[in-house]
Amino acid sequence: TCRFRHSLRLGSRGLHCCQPKLEAVSHRNFSSSSGSSSSFVFLNSVLGAAFVAAAAAEISDQEATEKAPNPEEVTTSEGPTTPTDGPTPEEIEEIDLFYSTQRFTELSEALDKYAALNNAAVLWRRARAEWEQVKADKKKFDASRVKVALDLVEQALLADETNSNAHRWKAILSNAHTEALGKRHQFLNLPTMKYHLERAIALNPRDSTAYTMLAVWKMTFVELSWVNRRIASLLGPIPDLSYEDVLHCLLKAEEVGPKAWNRNICLLGKVYYMLGDKEKAKQYIEIALSLPVYTEDDRLNETLAKEIAKKLELST
């Protein structure tokens, strides 16, 4: 659960946009684009849960088409595996289908067969499945299981640093883990999130979800209040970002994945409105309002679209 009050609620993937309370973490500089550990950060609750469930409602194109592990190249603590140990392309497709249709019991059973494989394609899927189990428990947030998921995705990156999905899920799960530890840890993790999102995009330029998440990362700083920005400036340089920077990421997301995520369309409407381009804002909000509503994420996106439509004096 996000610890901040929100001025803009954006969905079951947990995207929130508001003006955060700030606290000092250390005298570090987070203006570097490298996302190094020496960066100094503040975290807006726009990121409080955005990264912990950003791909929960759908499967990305790159996930569906990711090649199955090559069993000949897979090793475990017991030595090289045999070709029959790894999932076939058909099994990978079935695993992803279980995820996209939210059949999580079957998903876990399918992945359990490959628990011994040190293979990135299997490991990040196991991390994703573990995270779904955490979210399924509505009574409590099990931080220990989040750590299990984070460990799995880190193993995936050790097995294959060039796996773009593993980088995206590293961003998602590192934020979930540090959020459980407290705001200070979450603040300090922000450069890590940025690094892994940018790395995911570099490895797979068609990852529309990563572009949207990076746009949200940038919006965090754009929407800092004057008071919070003043406080932040006393503690270290902050990124010099604008709505134009946010717009660039949102447009790129739409270019590589048209209408892949309702959230991106809603945010385009919001950003164009903030930039004073009401015609384009109207265009995207009308698209957002025309999309079907099936999930909680869809309903919250619809609510956001209606709020912006009201400002544009559109009938809803």
Side-chain angles (χ1 to χ4, degrees), residues 10-15 57-58 261-263 293-303:
L10 299 180
S12 66
R13 297 192 194 191
L15 196 62
E58 64 193 37
W261 188 5
N262 296 8
R263 184 68 45 75
V293 177
Y294 298 119
T295 67
E296 179 64 17
D297 184 65
D298 294 335
R299 284 188 287 275
L300 290 170
N301 285 330
E302 182 183 50
T303 299

Side-chain angles (χ1 to χ4, degrees), residues 1 20 26 73 111 154 208 210 219 226 229 243 276 279 290:
T1 303
S26 65
E73 299 174 355
L111 286 169
E154 288 176 345
S208 60
M219 193 180 291
W226 181 86
R229 187 172 293 275
Y243 277 115
E279 284 304 311
S290 71

Side-chain angles (χ1 to χ4, degrees), residues 56-57 97-105 295:
L97 179 62
F98 288 152
Y99 177 78
S100 63
T101 56
Q102 302 186 45
R103 293 149 63 186
F104 297 126
T105 299
T295 67

Side-chain angles (χ1 to χ4, degrees), residues 92-121:
I92 283 286
E93 184 176 351
E94 182 180 49
I95 288 169
D96 287 342
L97 179 62
F98 288 152
Y99 177 78
S100 63
T101 56
Q102 302 186 45
R103 293 149 63 186
F104 297 126
T105 299
E106 293 165 282
L107 174 64
S108 294
E109 291 173 353
L111 286 169
D112 284 347
K113 294 187 295 183
Y114 308 107
L117 289 182
N118 183 34
N119 181 276

Side-chain angles (χ1 to χ4, degrees), residues 19 22 29 51 87 90 96 144 180 302:
Q19 309 242 326
L22 297 177
N29 179 348
F51 297 91
E90 291 75 18
D96 287 342
S144 64
E302 182 183 50

